[in-house]
Amino acid sequence: MFAKNQSVPTAMPRKNFSSRPSFRSGPARIINTKPSVSVSPVIIKNKPGQPSRTTFNQSKNIPAVPKTGPGGSGLKICPLGGQEEVGRNCTVFEYDNDIIILDMGLQFADEDMPGIDYIVPNVAYLRGKEKNIRGVIFSHGHLDHIGAAPILLEQLGNPPIIGRKLTLAMIKHRQEDYKRGTTKNLKTITIDSVNQKLTLGKFQVSFFQVEHSVVDAVGVVIQTPHGTVIHPGDWMIENDPMEGPVVGYEHLSKLPSPRILMLESLGVAYSKERVPIKTSQGNLEKLISEAPGRVIIGTFASQLERVTSLLAYSEKIGKKVALDGYGMKMNVKIAQELGYIPAHKNTIISVEEVSKYPENKIVVICTGAQGESNAVFSRIVNGNHRYINIKKSDVIIFSSSVIPGNERSVQKVKDQLYRLSDNVIHSSIMDVHSGGHANIDDIKNILHQIKPDYFLPVYANHYMLVEAKKLALREGFRDGQVHVLDNGQIIKFQKGRQPMILKEKANTDYVMVDGLGIGDVSEIVLRDRRLMADDGMIVVIATIDAKTGAIIGNPDLISRGFVHMKENRDLIEKTRMKVKQIVKDKNPMTLADDDYIKNKIRNEIGQFLFNSTKRRPMVLPVVIKV
């Protein structure tokens, strides 16, 4: 996820699809003829009523009893991530010797992964198959869908990448950050229209419009003789959009059977009605217009539609807007270059200029509402920002949802803010945020609109996928029509047969990124880091005679994260005496054995310290021979 949420701007048209020609390269080709089944979005004007309970697609294409044998041609679907976590979204589609990939996202590190920056999908399954990859399609520009692209594209020999203009621009920027000068290696195919159709090897690929919280999100249709995959990426249904009609999905029910719906099911446990975009936008505008002082809004860097609407409204009422946060400023710059956001030359100011204007004329939009320690919002709250210090008259707005796992850090930021400002606003007290993901009613709705033959819930934690399956069964699906996959499992669809999950499984072990290192941090390294984080470490330096093995002088001890040596002199002296006893050679006629002495120090000192303190620090023995 990373809680990607939406607000449709008042100043930006909903038609995101440009008519500009695209740069095309690689093995893909554009088919100019019209598809036999149109995948252009059907627009519905009114909110559909609750559909009646139905039994889905008792199609003659789907036999009740599977034929035996998994061999022969077929469509294989293998998720390399996104089935057991929020993030790391990446799915492989394989048809004979042709492969396409949908999304290459990252997953942020868990709290028990000290030092890890993020995790990327494991592409070991594709080693030796690089030449078969016909293209990588990106559904939209959020990091859980494009964040791993620079690393994985390099590992796979830079296959062609396919996406909308903004999505490709974000990938190029991330690629340049990863390795300067490597953007030229990217082979790009721009999706200029949802009516566009591509041939990627034996795959026929087309697109459809979706609602999400970032510009240029797109749904994907993958057609083969063995099945038609419908994948909206991240999506939602906005029943009361700021502009234009409601986006519907009924047209997808006309695609050839068997239809395989791979649906992001993150919101299956969310039964509350989504906050309409008009409501959250109206509340934000009211707060900005009535603020007695500065307005400081914390949100996600990817919330370009919300930023666009806030810029337009601030300009309308004569307020200046300062954008802060590297991701925020870079995304806005890219969107401006592509024409999605006007220049607003008389409205946007640098954060350094904030003090030059009256406080009630300033709006600051920044990143870091998740409590990240180094992000702008947290630095403002902690008094570490160079240009902004919070005052009692400031209006502070959390215009974002809380990413699962960040609850504690966000609460700390809120507590501190309530000490600094009299005007703290968040979703618990006012609707200032509209989510960018579907809720349970949206999922029911789209199931009835598309009427798939098979349903594969994706892009969520395992329990959410299971809940999505239960929901589908309640809505009339048969058990054999819904499959919950784990990361690495391969499901095969063959014409005239029931789908089956193969015994073969792709390796989806974590590939962790730490600084410049990719995959060089193993579980053993993480275990050592956790150990040091829990109980610290102690270094024991013993100097011994190379011939006799006798210890020379007193052992030196260095404690880090275990005990403060000056305040625990007694324990330190007892530890030194224990080391002397351990190293004392009972047979001085033999040469000293380094490994034996190190292991003896490690084991016996570790046990001695545990008995003395009930802690288990990491013991690092160093033996110096003289």
Side-chain angles (χ1 to χ4, degrees):
M1 171 172 98
F2 316 116
K4 304 173 284 291
N5 310 291
Q6 177 167 15
S7 176
V8 176
T10 56
M12 184 162 68
R14 289 169 60 84
K15 293 182 180 179
N16 295 327
F17 297 97
S18 169
S19 58
R20 274 191 215 170
S22 63
F23 169 73
R24 302 181 179 95
S25 58
R29 62 188 178 90
I30 305 295
I31 295 181
N32 294 320
T33 56
K34 294 182 179 179
S36 57
V37 179
S38 172
V39 292
S40 302
V42 173
I43 305 301
I44 57 177
K45 294 184 177 180
N46 298 316
K47 180 177 179 179
Q50 180 64 34
S52 60
R53 182 179 176 88
T54 58
T55 300
F56 280 79
N57 294 358
Q58 306 292 339
S59 170
K60 62 183 179 182
N61 295 324
I62 309 169
V65 180
K67 297 180 180 179
T68 57
S73 176
L75 169 64
K76 294 180 183 177
I77 301 175
C78 176
L80 299 181
Q83 294 296 108
E84 302 171 26
E85 61 278 305
V86 177
R88 206 161 46 119
N89 300 312
C90 183
T91 308
V92 174
F93 300 89
E94 198 168 0
Y95 175 26
D96 293 345
N97 292 323
D98 292 320
I99 294 172
I100 58 177
I101 302 168
L102 178 62
D103 290 333
M104 290 179 166
L106 58 76
Q107 174 189 350
F108 288 116
D110 296 333
E111 290 182 354
D112 63 346
M113 298 179 180
I116 301 302
D117 297 327
Y118 53 88
I119 307 158
V120 300
N122 190 325
V123 293
Y125 174 74
L126 297 171
R127 300 273 156 73
K129 302 179 181 179
E130 292 89 347
K131 292 183 179 179
N132 297 341
I133 300 174
R134 306 304 173 211
V136 183
I137 304 168
F138 293 94
S139 61
H140 63 282
H142 283 139
L143 287 180
D144 54 337
H145 295 263
I146 68 167
I151 294 171
L152 300 191
L153 290 173
E154 181 181 55
Q155 292 179 355
L156 297 174
N158 285 307
I161 61 174
I162 300 121
R164 298 301 314 282
K165 287 191 300 179
L166 181 64
T167 305
L168 293 179
M170 288 179 167
I171 293 171
K172 288 177 182 178
H173 171 68
R174 192 163 179 82
Q175 179 74 39
E176 199 65 17
D177 276 351
Y178 173 61
K179 285 186 180 178
R180 286 193 178 279
T182 58
T183 306
K184 63 180 182 293
N185 299 329
L186 297 178
K187 298 169 238 177
T188 61
I189 301 171
T190 304
I191 303 168
D192 294 317
S193 165
V194 284
N195 297 319
Q196 190 168 317
K197 189 172 182 180
L198 304 179
T199 295
L200 299 173
K202 294 183 179 179
F203 293 99
Q204 299 294 317
V205 181
S206 51
F207 309 95
F208 59 95
Q209 185 177 350
V210 297
E211 284 274 15
H212 191 43
S213 58
V214 66
V215 181
D216 276 356
V218 67
V220 181
V221 175
I222 302 170
Q223 288 184 250
T224 74
H226 302 283
T228 302
V229 177
I230 302 168
H231 202 309
D234 285 358
W235 66 286
M236 63 181 222
I237 295 177
E238 181 57 54
N239 290 310
D240 189 18
M242 295 284 286
E243 289 183 356
V246 177
V247 175
Y249 301 97
E250 290 95 337
H251 61 290
L252 299 173
S253 66
K254 300 175 184 177
L255 289 167
S257 287
R259 290 181 297 280
I260 306 158
L261 176 60
M262 300 184 69
L263 190 67
E264 180 245 318
S265 303
L266 192 63
V268 69
Y270 188 73
S271 58
K272 295 180 181 179
E273 185 177 351
R274 288 182 59 259
V275 176
I277 292 172
K278 285 183 178 178
T279 300
S280 61
Q281 182 63 26
N283 287 337
L284 287 171
E285 292 179 359
K286 188 172 187 292
L287 289 169
I288 291 172
S289 64
E290 297 177 358
R294 298 175 300 184
V295 178
I296 302 173
I297 303 172
T299 188
F300 298 106
S302 58
Q303 286 281 5
L304 287 177
E305 294 192 345
R306 183 167 303 163
V307 172
T308 303
S309 59
L310 293 176
L311 283 169
Y313 181 73
S314 297
E315 183 169 77
K316 178 181 176 182
I317 64 174
K319 293 202 174 190
K320 303 296 182 183
V321 179
L323 304 172
D324 205 6
Y326 177 75
M328 174 77 71
K329 290 188 285 189
M330 188 52 61
N331 287 346
V332 169
K333 180 181 177 183
I334 292 171
Q336 286 178 327
E337 290 172 354
L338 294 174
Y340 289 128
I341 298 179
H344 291 295
K345 291 182 179 179
N346 297 322
T347 300
I348 297 177
I349 62 173
S350 66
V351 71
E352 293 92 337
E353 298 176 280
V354 165
S355 60
K356 297 179 181 179
Y357 297 89
E359 291 185 353
N360 64 351
K361 294 294 183 182
I362 291 294
V363 177
V364 178
I365 307 175
C366 61
T367 57
Q370 297 301 306
E372 308 98 310
S373 58
N374 293 323
V376 174
F377 203 67
S378 293
R379 285 191 280 118
I380 292 174
V381 173
N382 295 326
N384 297 325
H385 197 279
R386 292 178 63 185
Y387 302 104
I388 301 173
N389 289 306
I390 293 178
K391 301 178 180 180
K392 287 288 186 180
S393 60
D394 290 339
V395 177
I396 315 296
I397 304 172
F398 285 81
S399 185
S400 61
S401 57
V402 180
I403 297 174
N406 290 348
E407 293 86 356
R408 188 178 301 176
S409 57
V410 171
Q411 189 57 55
K412 288 180 179 178
V413 171
K414 285 182 181 177
D415 285 343
Q416 183 65 11
L417 275 173
Y418 270 86
R419 296 179 184 276
L420 300 173
S421 171
D422 293 333
N423 310 289
V424 181
I425 310 295
H426 46 85
S427 295
S428 298
I429 59 177
M430 182 182 287
D431 292 330
V432 289
H433 173 69
S434 299
H437 294 269
N439 63 12
I440 189 169
D441 290 330
D442 293 338
I443 295 174
K444 289 179 186 178
N445 202 336
I446 199 170
L447 288 175
H448 286 275
Q449 287 188 33
I450 296 177
K451 300 179 176 63
D453 301 294
Y454 297 105
F455 174 39
L456 307 182
V458 298
Y459 290 179
N461 296 105
H462 179 72
Y463 86 90
M464 298 175 182
L465 305 183
V466 173
E467 286 297 328
K469 177 176 181 176
K470 292 178 180 178
L471 172 64
L473 295 178
R474 291 195 299 269
E475 293 299 307
F477 280 79
R478 291 176 284 122
D479 188 66
Q481 290 180 279
V482 188
H483 298 274
V484 174
L485 302 180
D486 290 333
N487 289 334
Q489 281 190 319
I490 303 171
I491 188 168
K492 186 172 183 179
F493 292 87
Q494 290 179 288
K495 192 172 184 178
R497 295 178 177 173
Q498 285 280 11
M500 61 188 311
I501 296 176
L502 306 183
K503 291 182 179 179
E504 176 191 7
K505 193 172 182 181
N507 179 8
T508 57
D509 292 345
Y510 278 170
V511 176
M512 291 173 273
V513 178
D514 183 0
L516 297 177
I518 302 168
D520 57 349
V521 176
S522 65
E523 185 59 36
I524 296 174
V525 174
L526 274 185
R527 184 193 64 195
D528 289 344
R529 290 183 180 182
R530 293 186 200 112
L531 180 62
M532 288 187 282
D534 289 341
D535 293 316
M537 62 178 287
I538 186 166
V539 181
V540 179
I541 305 171
T543 305
I544 62 173
D545 189 298
K547 293 182 179 179
T548 66
I551 190 166
I552 301 174
N554 278 329
D556 289 323
L557 302 179
I558 301 172
S559 171
R560 291 292 182 269
F562 171 50
V563 294
H564 189 251
M565 295 180 66
K566 290 183 179 180
E567 296 177 359
N568 294 271
R569 295 179 186 273
D570 184 54
L571 176 63
I572 297 301
E573 288 306 316
K574 287 181 180 178
T575 305
R576 282 199 177 100
M577 295 302 297
K578 185 68 177 178
V579 174
K580 283 185 176 182
Q581 294 174 13
I582 294 169
V583 177
K584 186 176 181 181
D585 197 349
K586 295 180 181 177
N587 187 3
M589 302 303 293
T590 60
L591 295 175
D593 185 339
D594 287 12
D595 291 336
Y596 173 76
I597 295 172
K598 287 179 182 178
N599 288 334
K600 197 171 176 62
I601 291 173
R602 184 181 297 110
N603 295 334
E604 295 192 20
I605 292 299
Q607 188 61 46
F608 169 76
L609 293 174
F610 177 75
N611 292 337
S612 303
T613 66
K614 299 304 176 185
R615 302 183 214 165
R616 295 190 183 275
M618 178 179 285
V619 179
L620 296 179
V622 178
V623 175
I624 302 172
K625 287 184 178 180
V626 293

